[in-house]
Amino acid sequence: NVTVDYQVAKPLKLNLGYTRLSEPNAMLGVRSIEASDFGAGSTTEAMTMGATLETGDFTFAGSVSRSRSRSDARNRLTAGGAGLDGSAWQIAVGKARVLGTNDRLRLSVAKPLSIDSGTLDFAQVGIVDRETGARGIVTDTIDVTGPRRLVGEALYGMTMLGGQAELGAFGRADLGSRDEAGRRGFAVGLRTMVAF
C-alpha cells in the first residue's frame, strides 16, 4: 500500500493511493471450505483519489476508489473476463465548535466497496453429452455484482473537564437498501471516558 499526500495550499490537501493485495487462498477476503476453489490465490489492485479542504471550523472531504480483482487460472472459481471491477466513494463534512469550544461533528454519505461488473466462473465435472452420458468439465457463470448501497454516518465527540473526560456518539444507517423484511439497517453507539 502506497499513499502520496500533496498540500496544494494551506487549506487544500490532495492524496493518491495504490493498493495491491495478494491473497494466497481467497478472493476479496472470501474463502471456501473447498481448498481448490481459491487454492491458487487472487490479486486485487485498487486506486484511491481524495481531497480535503479546511476552511475555518469546517472541513470538507471526498474520495473515490476503483478496484480490479483477478484470480489464478488454476482455481476452480475464477474471475471471468478481465476480472471483477469494484468501486467506492465517500463525501463528508465536519464542523468544529458545534455546541461548545471542544466538540466536533462529522456527517458523511458513502457507497461502500461493491462489485460493479464481473462474474465468477465455476468449473466442475458434469455431463457434457446427454445421449452418451459422457462426462467432462462444465463451467457455470455466477453473477457477483451486488446492489449499490448508500450509507450515512454521523459522528460527534467532545472533551470535558479540561480534557479529563470524553464523550462520543456514533450513528450509521443504510439510506437506499432494505433487507428482505423491508427494514433499513442502522446502528448507534455511545462512548464515554473519564481519566482519574
Side-chain angles (χ1 to χ4, degrees), residues 71-89:
S71 59
D72 192 290
R74 294 171 294 171
N75 290 345
R76 286 204 326 165
L77 273 168
T78 58
L84 306 181
D85 291 325
S87 67
W89 58 262

Side-chain angles (χ1 to χ4, degrees), residues 150-173:
L150 281 181
V151 175
E153 285 187 351
L155 302 169
Y156 177 77
M158 67 183 301
T159 58
M160 301 171 289
L161 304 176
Q164 293 295 104
E166 293 180 6
L167 174 67
F170 167 84
R172 177 185 171 104

Side-chain angles (χ1 to χ4, degrees), residues 5-6 17 26 43 90 125 127 150 156 167 171 174 196:
D5 292 327
Y6 179 63
T43 302
Q90 181 180 56
V125 175
I127 296 175
L150 281 181
Y156 177 77
L167 174 67
D174 286 325
F196 56 90

